[in-house]
Amino acid sequence: MTRDWRRGSIRLLPGYHLLDAAGLPAAELPVVDFALEGGFVNVRVPGRDDIQIVSAPSLHLITCA
């Protein structure tokens, strides 16, 4: 399956986090690539080689650049 990647920012609800480029937990990242799949968001953080996945209910705000 090909993901439709978009550039934007992401903010998660309290208690949820992603890992930033330094590997530290962050609830808000100003620049990410994201792709929506069902009830999940695939997130690529610049400076990391992995794809992180969060559930849609963990989102507070997601923006598209």
Short mmCIF file of all heavy atoms in Angstrom, two decimals:
data_model
loop_
_atom_site.label_atom_id
_atom_site.label_comp_id
_atom_site.label_asym_id
_atom_site.label_seq_id
_atom_site.Cartn_x
_atom_site.Cartn_y
_atom_site.Cartn_z
N MET A 1 0.83 -1.17 0.00
CA MET A 1 0.00 0.00 0.00
C MET A 1 0.89 1.24 0.00
O MET A 1 1.84 1.35 0.76
CB MET A 1 -0.90 -0.02 1.23
CG MET A 1 -1.73 1.20 1.37
SD MET A 1 -2.81 1.01 2.79
CE MET A 1 -3.96 2.28 2.42
N THR A 2 0.56 2.19 -0.84
CA THR A 2 1.30 3.44 -0.91
C THR A 2 0.65 4.47 0.00
O THR A 2 -0.55 4.71 -0.10
CB THR A 2 1.32 3.96 -2.36
OG1 THR A 2 1.89 2.96 -3.20
CG2 THR A 2 2.14 5.22 -2.46
N ARG A 3 1.45 5.05 0.87
CA ARG A 3 0.92 6.08 1.78
C ARG A 3 0.95 7.44 1.10
O ARG A 3 1.87 7.75 0.36
CB ARG A 3 1.73 6.11 3.06
CG ARG A 3 1.58 4.87 3.88
CD ARG A 3 2.35 5.00 5.19
NE ARG A 3 2.15 3.83 6.00
CZ ARG A 3 3.07 2.90 6.21
NH1 ARG A 3 4.26 3.01 5.68
NH2 ARG A 3 2.81 1.86 6.96
N ASP A 4 -0.02 8.27 1.39
CA ASP A 4 -0.09 9.63 0.89
C ASP A 4 0.50 10.55 1.96
O ASP A 4 -0.22 11.00 2.86
CB ASP A 4 -1.55 10.00 0.58
CG ASP A 4 -1.69 11.39 0.02
OD1 ASP A 4 -0.71 11.96 -0.49
OD2 ASP A 4 -2.81 11.92 0.09
N TRP A 5 1.81 10.81 1.90
CA TRP A 5 2.50 11.59 2.92
C TRP A 5 2.23 13.07 2.74
O TRP A 5 2.20 13.58 1.62
CB TRP A 5 4.01 11.34 2.86
CG TRP A 5 4.36 9.96 3.31
CD1 TRP A 5 4.66 8.91 2.50
CD2 TRP A 5 4.44 9.47 4.64
NE1 TRP A 5 4.92 7.79 3.25
CE2 TRP A 5 4.79 8.11 4.58
CE3 TRP A 5 4.24 10.04 5.89
CZ2 TRP A 5 4.95 7.32 5.70
CZ3 TRP A 5 4.41 9.25 7.02
CH2 TRP A 5 4.75 7.91 6.91
N ARG A 6 2.02 13.75 3.86
CA ARG A 6 1.81 15.19 3.88
C ARG A 6 2.73 15.80 4.92
O ARG A 6 3.09 15.14 5.89
CB ARG A 6 0.37 15.52 4.24
CG ARG A 6 -0.60 14.97 3.23
CD ARG A 6 -2.01 15.13 3.69
NE ARG A 6 -2.87 14.46 2.71
CZ ARG A 6 -4.16 14.43 2.77
NH1 ARG A 6 -4.78 15.03 3.74
NH2 ARG A 6 -4.85 13.82 1.85
N ARG A 7 3.11 17.05 4.72
CA ARG A 7 3.97 17.76 5.68
C ARG A 7 3.08 18.63 6.56
O ARG A 7 2.14 19.25 6.10
CB ARG A 7 4.96 18.61 4.90
CG ARG A 7 5.88 19.53 5.66
CD ARG A 7 6.95 18.91 6.55
NE ARG A 7 7.74 17.85 6.01
CZ ARG A 7 9.04 17.90 5.76
NH1 ARG A 7 9.70 19.01 5.92
NH2 ARG A 7 9.68 16.83 5.33
N GLY A 8 3.37 18.66 7.85
CA GLY A 8 2.59 19.48 8.77
C GLY A 8 3.15 19.44 10.17
O GLY A 8 4.33 19.15 10.38
N SER A 9 2.30 19.70 11.14
CA SER A 9 2.67 19.64 12.55
C SER A 9 1.66 18.77 13.27
O SER A 9 0.56 18.53 12.79
CB SER A 9 2.72 21.04 13.17
OG SER A 9 1.42 21.61 13.19
N ILE A 10 2.05 18.31 14.46
CA ILE A 10 1.18 17.42 15.22
C ILE A 10 1.27 17.76 16.70
O ILE A 10 2.34 18.07 17.20
CB ILE A 10 1.54 15.94 14.94
CG1 ILE A 10 0.48 15.00 15.47
CG2 ILE A 10 2.91 15.59 15.47
CD1 ILE A 10 0.62 13.58 14.95
N ARG A 11 0.13 17.73 17.37
CA ARG A 11 0.07 17.89 18.82
C ARG A 11 -0.83 16.79 19.37
O ARG A 11 -1.93 16.58 18.87
CB ARG A 11 -0.51 19.25 19.20
CG ARG A 11 -0.47 19.49 20.71
CD ARG A 11 -1.08 20.82 21.14
NE ARG A 11 -0.81 21.89 20.20
CZ ARG A 11 -1.64 22.92 20.00
NH1 ARG A 11 -2.78 22.99 20.66
NH2 ARG A 11 -1.34 23.86 19.14
N LEU A 12 -0.33 16.08 20.37
CA LEU A 12 -1.06 14.96 20.96
C LEU A 12 -1.70 15.36 22.28
O LEU A 12 -1.26 16.32 22.93
CB LEU A 12 -0.12 13.78 21.17
CG LEU A 12 0.58 13.27 19.91
CD1 LEU A 12 1.57 12.17 20.27
CD2 LEU A 12 -0.40 12.78 18.87
N LEU A 13 -2.70 14.62 22.68
CA LEU A 13 -3.35 14.84 23.97
C LEU A 13 -2.40 14.46 25.10
O LEU A 13 -1.46 13.67 24.90
CB LEU A 13 -4.62 13.99 24.06
CG LEU A 13 -5.75 14.41 23.12
CD1 LEU A 13 -6.85 13.35 23.14
CD2 LEU A 13 -6.30 15.76 23.52
N PRO A 14 -2.63 15.00 26.30
CA PRO A 14 -1.80 14.63 27.44
C PRO A 14 -1.77 13.12 27.64
O PRO A 14 -2.79 12.43 27.49
CB PRO A 14 -2.49 15.32 28.62
CG PRO A 14 -3.21 16.48 28.01
CD PRO A 14 -3.65 16.00 26.66
N GLY A 15 -0.58 12.60 27.93
CA GLY A 15 -0.40 11.17 28.14
C GLY A 15 0.11 10.44 26.91
O GLY A 15 0.47 9.27 26.99
N TYR A 16 0.12 11.10 25.76
CA TYR A 16 0.61 10.50 24.52
C TYR A 16 1.85 11.25 24.06
O TYR A 16 2.00 12.45 24.33
CB TYR A 16 -0.44 10.59 23.41
CG TYR A 16 -1.68 9.79 23.69
CD1 TYR A 16 -2.79 10.40 24.27
CD2 TYR A 16 -1.76 8.45 23.36
CE1 TYR A 16 -3.94 9.68 24.53
CE2 TYR A 16 -2.90 7.71 23.62
CZ TYR A 16 -3.99 8.33 24.20
OH TYR A 16 -5.12 7.61 24.46
N HIS A 17 2.74 10.56 23.39
CA HIS A 17 3.94 11.22 22.87
C HIS A 17 4.51 10.46 21.67
O HIS A 17 4.19 9.31 21.45
CB HIS A 17 5.01 11.36 23.96
CG HIS A 17 5.60 10.05 24.37
ND1 HIS A 17 5.06 9.28 25.37
CD2 HIS A 17 6.66 9.35 23.91
CE1 HIS A 17 5.77 8.17 25.51
NE2 HIS A 17 6.75 8.19 24.63
N LEU A 18 5.33 11.18 20.93
CA LEU A 18 6.16 10.62 19.87
C LEU A 18 7.60 10.88 20.27
O LEU A 18 7.87 11.69 21.15
CB LEU A 18 5.87 11.31 18.53
CG LEU A 18 4.48 11.08 17.94
CD1 LEU A 18 4.18 12.11 16.88
CD2 LEU A 18 4.39 9.68 17.36
N LEU A 19 8.52 10.22 19.61
CA LEU A 19 9.93 10.49 19.86
C LEU A 19 10.42 11.53 18.87
O LEU A 19 10.19 11.41 17.66
CB LEU A 19 10.75 9.21 19.75
CG LEU A 19 10.38 8.11 20.74
CD1 LEU A 19 11.24 6.88 20.50
CD2 LEU A 19 10.52 8.59 22.17
N ASP A 20 11.11 12.56 19.38
CA ASP A 20 11.66 13.58 18.50
C ASP A 20 12.98 13.10 17.89
O ASP A 20 13.38 11.95 18.10
CB ASP A 20 11.80 14.92 19.23
CG ASP A 20 12.82 14.91 20.36
OD1 ASP A 20 13.61 13.94 20.48
OD2 ASP A 20 12.85 15.88 21.13
N ALA A 21 13.66 13.96 17.17
CA ALA A 21 14.90 13.58 16.48
C ALA A 21 15.97 13.10 17.44
O ALA A 21 16.81 12.26 17.09
CB ALA A 21 15.43 14.75 15.64
N ALA A 22 15.96 13.61 18.68
CA ALA A 22 16.95 13.22 19.69
C ALA A 22 16.53 11.96 20.46
O ALA A 22 17.26 11.49 21.32
CB ALA A 22 17.17 14.37 20.67
N GLY A 23 15.35 11.43 20.16
CA GLY A 23 14.86 10.24 20.85
C GLY A 23 14.14 10.54 22.15
O GLY A 23 13.87 9.64 22.93
N LEU A 24 13.80 11.81 22.37
CA LEU A 24 13.10 12.21 23.59
C LEU A 24 11.60 12.27 23.33
O LEU A 24 11.16 12.64 22.24
CB LEU A 24 13.60 13.58 24.05
CG LEU A 24 15.09 13.65 24.37
CD1 LEU A 24 15.50 15.09 24.64
CD2 LEU A 24 15.42 12.75 25.55
N PRO A 25 10.78 11.93 24.33
CA PRO A 25 9.33 12.00 24.14
C PRO A 25 8.87 13.44 23.97
O PRO A 25 9.32 14.34 24.68
CB PRO A 25 8.76 11.40 25.42
CG PRO A 25 9.89 11.23 26.36
CD PRO A 25 11.16 11.42 25.64
N ALA A 26 7.99 13.65 23.01
CA ALA A 26 7.45 14.98 22.73
C ALA A 26 5.98 14.86 22.39
O ALA A 26 5.59 13.99 21.60
CB ALA A 26 8.21 15.62 21.58
N ALA A 27 5.17 15.72 22.97
CA ALA A 27 3.74 15.72 22.68
C ALA A 27 3.40 16.64 21.52
O ALA A 27 2.30 16.59 20.99
CB ALA A 27 2.95 16.13 23.92
N GLU A 28 4.36 17.49 21.13
CA GLU A 28 4.13 18.42 20.03
C GLU A 28 5.38 18.50 19.16
O GLU A 28 6.49 18.69 19.67
CB GLU A 28 3.79 19.81 20.58
CG GLU A 28 3.39 20.78 19.52
CD GLU A 28 2.82 22.07 20.11
OE1 GLU A 28 2.64 22.16 21.33
OE2 GLU A 28 2.55 22.99 19.31
N LEU A 29 5.19 18.33 17.86
CA LEU A 29 6.29 18.41 16.91
C LEU A 29 5.88 19.37 15.80
O LEU A 29 4.86 19.17 15.15
CB LEU A 29 6.62 17.04 16.34
CG LEU A 29 7.18 16.05 17.37
CD1 LEU A 29 7.12 14.63 16.84
CD2 LEU A 29 8.60 16.42 17.72
N PRO A 30 6.68 20.43 15.57
CA PRO A 30 6.29 21.45 14.61
C PRO A 30 6.44 21.04 13.14
O PRO A 30 5.78 21.61 12.29
CB PRO A 30 7.20 22.63 14.94
CG PRO A 30 8.40 22.00 15.58
CD PRO A 30 7.90 20.77 16.28
N VAL A 31 7.31 20.06 12.85
CA VAL A 31 7.50 19.62 11.46
C VAL A 31 7.56 18.10 11.42
O VAL A 31 8.47 17.50 12.00
CB VAL A 31 8.79 20.21 10.86
CG1 VAL A 31 8.97 19.71 9.43
CG2 VAL A 31 8.78 21.73 10.89
N VAL A 32 6.58 17.50 10.77
CA VAL A 32 6.56 16.05 10.57
C VAL A 32 5.97 15.77 9.19
O VAL A 32 5.32 16.63 8.59
CB VAL A 32 5.71 15.31 11.64
CG1 VAL A 32 6.28 15.47 13.02
CG2 VAL A 32 4.26 15.76 11.61
N ASP A 33 6.19 14.57 8.72
CA ASP A 33 5.44 14.04 7.58
C ASP A 33 4.46 13.04 8.17
O ASP A 33 4.82 12.26 9.06
CB ASP A 33 6.37 13.34 6.60
CG ASP A 33 7.31 14.30 5.90
OD1 ASP A 33 6.89 15.43 5.60
OD2 ASP A 33 8.47 13.91 5.66
N PHE A 34 3.22 13.08 7.70
CA PHE A 34 2.23 12.15 8.24
C PHE A 34 1.36 11.59 7.13
O PHE A 34 1.20 12.19 6.07
CB PHE A 34 1.37 12.83 9.31
CG PHE A 34 0.49 13.93 8.79
CD1 PHE A 34 -0.80 13.67 8.37
CD2 PHE A 34 0.95 15.23 8.72
CE1 PHE A 34 -1.61 14.67 7.88
CE2 PHE A 34 0.16 16.25 8.23
CZ PHE A 34 -1.13 15.97 7.81
N ALA A 35 0.83 10.40 7.39
CA ALA A 35 -0.10 9.74 6.47
C ALA A 35 -1.21 9.12 7.31
O ALA A 35 -0.94 8.46 8.31
CB ALA A 35 0.62 8.67 5.65
N LEU A 36 -2.44 9.35 6.90
CA LEU A 36 -3.60 8.81 7.61
C LEU A 36 -3.95 7.45 7.03
O LEU A 36 -4.00 7.29 5.81
CB LEU A 36 -4.78 9.76 7.48
CG LEU A 36 -4.53 11.20 7.92
CD1 LEU A 36 -5.71 12.08 7.59
CD2 LEU A 36 -4.21 11.26 9.40
N GLU A 37 -4.19 6.48 7.91
CA GLU A 37 -4.58 5.13 7.50
C GLU A 37 -5.61 4.62 8.49
O GLU A 37 -5.27 4.30 9.63
CB GLU A 37 -3.38 4.19 7.50
CG GLU A 37 -2.60 4.14 6.23
CD GLU A 37 -1.54 3.06 6.27
OE1 GLU A 37 -0.82 2.95 7.27
OE2 GLU A 37 -1.45 2.32 5.29
N GLY A 38 -6.85 4.55 8.05
CA GLY A 38 -7.89 4.09 8.95
C GLY A 38 -7.95 4.98 10.18
O GLY A 38 -8.01 6.18 10.09
N GLY A 39 -7.86 4.40 11.36
CA GLY A 39 -7.89 5.15 12.60
C GLY A 39 -6.51 5.45 13.16
O GLY A 39 -6.37 5.68 14.36
N PHE A 40 -5.50 5.44 12.30
CA PHE A 40 -4.12 5.64 12.76
C PHE A 40 -3.42 6.70 11.93
O PHE A 40 -3.78 6.95 10.78
CB PHE A 40 -3.34 4.33 12.68
CG PHE A 40 -3.89 3.27 13.58
CD1 PHE A 40 -4.84 2.38 13.12
CD2 PHE A 40 -3.48 3.18 14.90
CE1 PHE A 40 -5.37 1.40 13.95
CE2 PHE A 40 -4.00 2.22 15.74
CZ PHE A 40 -4.94 1.34 15.27
N VAL A 41 -2.42 7.31 12.53
CA VAL A 41 -1.58 8.28 11.84
C VAL A 41 -0.15 7.76 11.85
O VAL A 41 0.41 7.47 12.91
CB VAL A 41 -1.63 9.67 12.54
CG1 VAL A 41 -0.80 10.67 11.78
CG2 VAL A 41 -3.06 10.15 12.67
N ASN A 42 0.41 7.59 10.66
CA ASN A 42 1.82 7.23 10.50
C ASN A 42 2.61 8.53 10.50
O ASN A 42 2.26 9.46 9.77
CB ASN A 42 2.04 6.50 9.17
CG ASN A 42 1.30 5.18 9.13
OD1 ASN A 42 1.83 4.17 9.52
ND2 ASN A 42 0.07 5.21 8.63
N VAL A 43 3.65 8.60 11.31
CA VAL A 43 4.41 9.84 11.47
C VAL A 43 5.89 9.59 11.21
O VAL A 43 6.49 8.68 11.80
CB VAL A 43 4.22 10.41 12.90
CG1 VAL A 43 4.97 11.73 13.04
CG2 VAL A 43 2.75 10.59 13.23
N ARG A 44 6.47 10.42 10.34
CA ARG A 44 7.91 10.43 10.11
C ARG A 44 8.44 11.74 10.67
O ARG A 44 8.02 12.82 10.24
CB ARG A 44 8.26 10.34 8.63
CG ARG A 44 7.92 9.02 8.01
CD ARG A 44 8.49 8.84 6.63
NE ARG A 44 8.06 9.91 5.72
CZ ARG A 44 8.02 9.78 4.40
NH1 ARG A 44 8.35 8.64 3.83
NH2 ARG A 44 7.63 10.78 3.65
N VAL A 45 9.37 11.64 11.61
CA VAL A 45 9.98 12.81 12.23
C VAL A 45 11.32 13.05 11.55
O VAL A 45 12.15 12.12 11.49
CB VAL A 45 10.17 12.59 13.75
CG1 VAL A 45 10.89 13.76 14.39
CG2 VAL A 45 8.82 12.34 14.42
N PRO A 46 11.58 14.27 11.04
CA PRO A 46 12.88 14.55 10.44
C PRO A 46 14.01 14.24 11.43
O PRO A 46 13.92 14.57 12.62
CB PRO A 46 12.81 16.05 10.13
CG PRO A 46 11.35 16.33 9.97
CD PRO A 46 10.67 15.42 10.96
N GLY A 47 15.03 13.56 10.96
CA GLY A 47 16.15 13.18 11.81
C GLY A 47 16.05 11.77 12.35
O GLY A 47 16.97 11.28 13.00
N ARG A 48 14.92 11.10 12.09
CA ARG A 48 14.74 9.70 12.51
C ARG A 48 14.51 8.84 11.28
O ARG A 48 13.95 9.31 10.29
CB ARG A 48 13.55 9.57 13.46
CG ARG A 48 13.74 10.29 14.78
CD ARG A 48 12.61 9.97 15.76
NE ARG A 48 12.52 8.55 16.06
CZ ARG A 48 13.20 7.91 17.02
NH1 ARG A 48 14.03 8.59 17.77
NH2 ARG A 48 13.04 6.64 17.22
N ASP A 49 14.91 7.58 11.36
CA ASP A 49 14.76 6.66 10.23
C ASP A 49 13.50 5.80 10.31
O ASP A 49 13.21 5.05 9.39
CB ASP A 49 15.97 5.73 10.14
CG ASP A 49 17.24 6.48 9.78
OD1 ASP A 49 17.15 7.51 9.09
OD2 ASP A 49 18.32 6.04 10.21
N ASP A 50 12.76 5.90 11.41
CA ASP A 50 11.62 5.02 11.61
C ASP A 50 10.30 5.75 11.31
O ASP A 50 10.27 6.95 11.08
CB ASP A 50 11.60 4.46 13.03
CG ASP A 50 11.55 5.55 14.09
OD1 ASP A 50 11.69 6.74 13.76
OD2 ASP A 50 11.36 5.21 15.27
N ILE A 51 9.22 4.98 11.31
CA ILE A 51 7.87 5.51 11.20
C ILE A 51 7.18 5.19 12.52
O ILE A 51 7.15 4.04 12.96
CB ILE A 51 7.11 4.87 10.03
CG1 ILE A 51 7.77 5.25 8.70
CG2 ILE A 51 5.65 5.30 10.04
CD1 ILE A 51 7.18 4.55 7.49
N GLN A 52 6.64 6.21 13.16
CA GLN A 52 5.91 6.04 14.41
C GLN A 52 4.41 6.07 14.10
O GLN A 52 3.98 6.75 13.18
CB GLN A 52 6.28 7.15 15.39
CG GLN A 52 7.78 7.17 15.69
CD GLN A 52 8.16 8.31 16.60
OE1 GLN A 52 7.78 8.33 17.76
NE2 GLN A 52 8.90 9.27 16.05
N ILE A 53 3.65 5.33 14.88
CA ILE A 53 2.21 5.24 14.64
C ILE A 53 1.47 5.60 15.92
O ILE A 53 1.80 5.10 17.01
CB ILE A 53 1.82 3.82 14.19
CG1 ILE A 53 2.55 3.46 12.90
CG2 ILE A 53 0.31 3.71 14.01
CD1 ILE A 53 2.38 2.03 12.46
N VAL A 54 0.48 6.48 15.78
CA VAL A 54 -0.40 6.82 16.90
C VAL A 54 -1.85 6.63 16.45
O VAL A 54 -2.16 6.73 15.27
CB VAL A 54 -0.19 8.27 17.41
CG1 VAL A 54 1.18 8.43 18.03
CG2 VAL A 54 -0.39 9.29 16.31
N SER A 55 -2.72 6.36 17.40
CA SER A 55 -4.12 6.21 17.07
C SER A 55 -4.77 7.59 16.93
O SER A 55 -4.36 8.56 17.59
CB SER A 55 -4.84 5.39 18.14
OG SER A 55 -4.81 6.07 19.37
N ALA A 56 -5.76 7.69 16.08
CA ALA A 56 -6.43 8.97 15.86
C ALA A 56 -6.98 9.59 17.14
O ALA A 56 -6.90 10.80 17.31
CB ALA A 56 -7.53 8.79 14.82
N PRO A 57 -7.51 8.82 18.10
CA PRO A 57 -8.01 9.43 19.32
C PRO A 57 -6.92 10.11 20.18
O PRO A 57 -7.26 10.88 21.08
CB PRO A 57 -8.66 8.27 20.08
CG PRO A 57 -8.99 7.28 19.02
CD PRO A 57 -7.90 7.40 18.01
N SER A 58 -5.67 9.85 19.92
CA SER A 58 -4.60 10.49 20.70
C SER A 58 -4.28 11.90 20.19
O SER A 58 -3.55 12.65 20.82
CB SER A 58 -3.33 9.65 20.65
OG SER A 58 -2.77 9.66 19.35
N LEU A 59 -4.85 12.29 19.05
CA LEU A 59 -4.57 13.59 18.44
C LEU A 59 -5.33 14.72 19.12
O LEU A 59 -6.52 14.62 19.39
CB LEU A 59 -4.96 13.59 16.97
CG LEU A 59 -4.17 12.68 16.05
CD1 LEU A 59 -4.79 12.71 14.67
CD2 LEU A 59 -2.72 13.10 16.01
N HIS A 60 -4.62 15.81 19.36
CA HIS A 60 -5.27 17.05 19.77
C HIS A 60 -5.41 17.96 18.56
O HIS A 60 -6.45 18.55 18.34
CB HIS A 60 -4.46 17.75 20.87
CG HIS A 60 -5.01 19.07 21.26
ND1 HIS A 60 -6.13 19.18 22.02
CD2 HIS A 60 -4.62 20.32 20.97
CE1 HIS A 60 -6.41 20.47 22.19
NE2 HIS A 60 -5.51 21.19 21.55
N LEU A 61 -4.32 18.04 17.76
CA LEU A 61 -4.33 18.89 16.57
C LEU A 61 -3.32 18.36 15.57
O LEU A 61 -2.21 17.97 15.94
CB LEU A 61 -3.95 20.33 16.96
CG LEU A 61 -3.85 21.36 15.85
CD1 LEU A 61 -5.25 21.64 15.28
CD2 LEU A 61 -3.23 22.64 16.38
N ILE A 62 -3.71 18.35 14.32
CA ILE A 62 -2.79 18.01 13.24
C ILE A 62 -3.02 19.05 12.15
O ILE A 62 -4.18 19.37 11.83
CB ILE A 62 -2.99 16.57 12.75
CG1 ILE A 62 -1.84 16.13 11.87
CG2 ILE A 62 -4.31 16.37 12.10
CD1 ILE A 62 -1.78 14.63 11.64
N THR A 63 -1.94 19.61 11.63
CA THR A 63 -2.08 20.63 10.59
C THR A 63 -1.33 20.19 9.35
O THR A 63 -0.40 19.41 9.41
CB THR A 63 -1.51 21.99 11.05
OG1 THR A 63 -0.11 21.86 11.31
CG2 THR A 63 -2.22 22.49 12.29
N CYS A 64 -1.76 20.73 8.25
CA CYS A 64 -1.13 20.45 6.96
C CYS A 64 -0.47 21.74 6.49
O CYS A 64 -1.07 22.80 6.54
CB CYS A 64 -2.19 20.01 5.97
SG CYS A 64 -1.66 18.80 4.82
N ALA A 65 0.79 21.64 6.07
CA ALA A 65 1.51 22.85 5.62
C ALA A 65 1.15 23.19 4.20
O ALA A 65 0.74 22.42 3.42
CB ALA A 65 3.01 22.63 5.75
#
